[in-house]
């Protein structure tokens, strides 16, 4: 198997660090995803309206937005492991906040703090994987190491729904916190990439862009805008899909949807990473955006479990391909000295999307049907698709060629 051959060809230190990093990632994502199908219904059980549910769920991204830049700076100049630990500790503490605070509006603060965990973990985890991986196998190892997300999502939502149904919300939140703290035990076994004193070396001259240069760089702005649209889509989905399934009695639970999506995500990540190293990131991103579009169209037409099942599979394939491929793309387009901050800028687009989705759509209340909400999502996916095939490189011609795998990424760095 390719994955075993790739792992065997790494040196012992790389194998050990990536192995323990994989374990940390799995525990982290189980902790996070146990709450995906259950938190909206928990807020509803406290008396929250659709608008309030959207506000609480969307506030998750406030922590993401406020902390991304600082955490990216710390990851570049201090320690990737430090930022990783911050993410895991917050993931362990936040569920205890949900348990102790049982009124709607204070949960906004808890949910915002919880968002810091995603900002810290995803920035440090991605940077560590890229730092440890050989350049020629970067896409492949990013794909393999990102498998922790679908595996966690195949376990977490189902486990969360089970715990909530049979033991209640107290057991659910304690379990979520426990998985977070267990991950902290494994961090010490991971190789810490040395802080990069970029100011003192001539080698780094011209390889580090400041924040203004990053947000004005076409090579980074387009991935950020695509993630913004998909963030809007994803934020709307996680906020309203559980309510949609609960209120329409379609015979399909939110936990099962996420489990099915995780299966699709797992399958796509196994093949996407190696394929991207061979054929380029472009074709994989193109296909992923089309999968998002198909998934949302299926949800607009859903009248039974069959459409929900297919929507979950396509959503999983879309997410499982897009996120690691965008990370690989922006890794190609940045130097190791600035990578943490580049992640903070580009992934910040995803954060903003999630932040806006719940409150904006939720504020419309009952004015929008669930079918209309999912139609908006399909439009976002389609807009992201057209943006990518037309603007992902220097001009329309090179962008289309890159998106179809006919030309290499002209923005990629040499190292």
């Amino acid at each position: 198997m390719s994955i075993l051959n790739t792992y065997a060809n790494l040196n012992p230190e790389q194998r050990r660090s990536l192995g323990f990093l994989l374990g940390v990632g799995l525990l982290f994502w189980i902790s996070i995803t146990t709450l995906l199908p259950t938190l909206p219904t928990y807020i509803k059980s406290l008396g929250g309206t659709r608008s309030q549910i959207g506000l609480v769920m969307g506030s998750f991204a406030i922590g993401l937005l406020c902390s991304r830049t600082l955490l990216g700076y710390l990851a570049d100049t201090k320690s990737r492991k430090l930022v990783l630990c911050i993410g895991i500790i917050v993931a362990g503490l936040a569920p205890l906040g949900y348990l102790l605070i049982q009124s709607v509006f204070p949960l906004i603060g808890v949910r915002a703090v919880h968002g810091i965990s995603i900002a810290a973990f995803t920035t440090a985890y991605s940077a560590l994987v890229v730092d440890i991986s050989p350049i020629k196998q970067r896409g492949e190892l990013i794909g393999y190491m990102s498998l922790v997300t679908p595996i966690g999502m195949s376990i977490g939502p189902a486990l969360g729904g089970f715990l909530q149904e049979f033991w209640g919300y107290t057991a659910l939140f304690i379990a979520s916190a426990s998985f977070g703290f267990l991950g902290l035990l494994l961090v010490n076994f991971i190789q810490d990439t040395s802080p990069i004193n970029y100011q003192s070396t001539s080698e780094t001259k011209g390889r580090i862009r400041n924040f203004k240069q990053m947000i004005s760089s076409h090579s980074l702005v387009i991935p950020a805008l695509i993630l913004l649209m998909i963030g809007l889509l994803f934020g709307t989905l996680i906020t309203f899909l559980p309510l949609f399934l609960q209120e329409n009695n379609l015979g399909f639970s939110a936990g099962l949807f996420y489990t099915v999506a995780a299966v699709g995500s797992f399958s796509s990540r196994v093949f996407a990473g190696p394929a991207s190293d061979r054929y380029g990131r472009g074709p994989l991103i193109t296909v992923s955006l089309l999968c998002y579009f198909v998934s949302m169209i299926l949800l607009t037409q859903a009248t039974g479990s069959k459409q929900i099942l297919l929507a979950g599979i396509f959503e999983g394939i879309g997410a499982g391909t897009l996120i690691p491929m965008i990370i690989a793309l922006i890794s190609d387009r940045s130097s190791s000295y600035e990578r943490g901050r580049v992640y903070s800028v580009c992934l910040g687009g995803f954060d903003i999307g999630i932040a806006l989705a719940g409150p904006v759509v939720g504020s419309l209340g009952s004015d929008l049907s669930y079918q209309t909400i999912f139609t908006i999502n399909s439009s976002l996916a389609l807009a992201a698709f057209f943006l990518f095939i037309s603007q992902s490189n220097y001009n329309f011609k090179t962008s289309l060629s890159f998106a179809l795998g006919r030309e290499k990424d002209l923005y990629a760095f040499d190292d």
Side-chain angles (χ1 to χ4, degrees):
M1 292 179 63
S2 178
I3 186 171
L4 295 179
N5 292 334
T6 299
Y7 188 72
N9 289 331
L10 300 173
N11 67 49
E13 184 62 38
Q14 289 173 322
R15 288 198 297 268
R16 184 172 71 94
S17 292
L18 289 176
F20 280 106
L21 191 58
L22 199 70
V24 172
L26 181 60
L27 290 167
F28 175 83
W29 285 112
I30 291 175
S31 171
I32 293 293
T33 59
T34 51
L35 305 180
L36 276 182
T38 51
L39 198 54
T41 56
Y42 175 66
I43 300 166
K44 186 178 181 180
S45 73
L46 297 178
T49 63
R50 184 193 285 194
S51 176
Q52 291 168 340
I53 292 169
L55 187 61
V56 174
M57 294 299 290
S59 64
F60 186 81
I62 295 175
L64 279 165
L65 287 168
C66 294
S67 62
R68 275 282 192 198
T69 302
L70 174 61
L71 292 167
Y73 177 80
L74 287 176
D76 282 339
T77 60
K78 300 297 182 182
S79 169
R80 317 287 204 208
K81 277 180 65 173
L82 170 64
V83 177
L84 191 73
C85 287
I86 291 172
I88 296 168
I89 291 170
V90 175
L93 290 175
L96 302 179
Y98 298 126
L99 179 61
L100 297 173
I101 300 175
Q102 298 186 350
S103 56
V104 175
F105 285 104
L107 286 179
I108 294 173
V110 179
R111 188 68 176 157
V113 170
H114 204 176
I116 296 173
S117 66
I118 293 281
F121 185 85
T122 54
T123 297
Y125 186 88
S126 299
L128 279 166
V129 170
V130 173
D131 288 346
I132 297 170
S133 301
I135 294 175
K136 292 183 178 179
Q137 296 168 308
R138 178 180 288 168
E140 182 176 6
L141 284 168
I142 289 174
Y144 292 153
M145 293 298 292
S146 70
L147 288 172
V148 294
T149 306
I151 294 173
M153 287 193 69
S154 67
I155 298 171
L159 177 62
F162 176 81
L163 289 171
Q164 187 275 322
E165 183 177 354
F166 291 98
W167 282 286
Y169 288 108
T170 298
L172 167 70
F173 293 134
I174 290 175
S176 177
S178 299
F179 282 113
F181 288 126
L182 281 173
L184 195 60
L185 299 177
L186 303 182
V187 174
N188 288 330
F189 299 99
I190 300 170
Q191 175 187 0
D192 192 4
T193 53
S194 300
I196 301 166
N197 187 7
Y198 59 87
Q199 293 177 329
S200 63
T201 63
S202 58
E203 178 188 353
T204 64
K205 187 176 181 180
R207 305 306 298 271
I208 299 174
R209 290 164 285 189
N210 58 37
F211 182 77
K212 182 178 178 181
Q213 289 171 321
M214 288 180 186
I215 62 174
S216 62
S217 170
H218 187 265
S219 67
L220 301 180
V221 167
I222 297 305
L225 287 174
I226 289 169
L227 288 177
L228 169 64
M229 294 183 216
I230 299 303
L232 285 166
L233 183 157
F234 183 71
T236 302
L237 188 68
I238 63 172
T239 301
F240 297 107
L241 180 70
L243 304 176
F244 167 67
L245 296 176
Q246 184 184 65
E247 294 175 16
N248 288 275
N249 298 315
L250 296 177
F252 210 92
S253 69
L256 185 56
F257 177 91
Y258 292 121
T259 299
V260 169
V263 172
S265 180
F266 182 94
S267 302
S268 66
R269 288 172 197 248
V270 169
F271 298 104
S276 75
D277 285 334
R278 177 175 295 183
Y279 303 111
R281 322 298 187 201
L284 281 301
I285 295 173
T286 301
V287 170
S288 71
L289 295 172
L290 290 175
C291 286
Y292 268 117
F293 173 72
V294 172
S295 174
M296 295 303 105
I297 289 295
L298 285 167
L299 286 178
T300 65
Q301 306 298 317
T303 55
S305 58
K306 182 177 180 180
Q307 292 98 325
I308 303 295
L309 175 66
L310 289 173
I313 292 172
F314 276 103
E315 195 277 335
I317 294 172
T321 305
L322 179 69
I323 302 303
M325 288 304 98
I326 288 287
I327 290 174
L329 182 73
I330 61 179
S331 297
D332 295 341
R333 295 178 175 188
S334 60
S335 70
S336 59
Y337 310 107
E338 62 176 5
R339 196 158 284 141
R341 279 157 292 177
V342 167
Y343 290 160
S344 72
V345 169
C346 293
L347 297 178
F350 193 72
D351 303 341
I352 294 171
I354 296 175
L356 294 176
V360 170
V361 180
S363 66
L364 298 175
S366 58
D367 294 339
L368 292 180
S369 67
Y370 289 114
Q371 284 73 22
T372 302
I373 290 172
F374 296 136
T375 299
I376 294 172
N377 275 358
S378 67
S379 300
L380 287 168
L382 197 60
F385 166 77
F386 283 116
L387 178 65
F388 183 74
I389 66 171
S390 64
Q391 296 295 319
S392 59
N393 246 268
Y394 283 169
N395 51 48
F396 179 82
K397 181 181 178 181
T398 57
S399 295
L400 183 60
S401 295
F402 172 64
L404 297 178
R406 296 175 179 173
E407 187 167 339
K408 66 179 183 178
D409 184 8
L410 300 179
Y411 285 125
F413 283 31
D414 294 330
D415 60 338

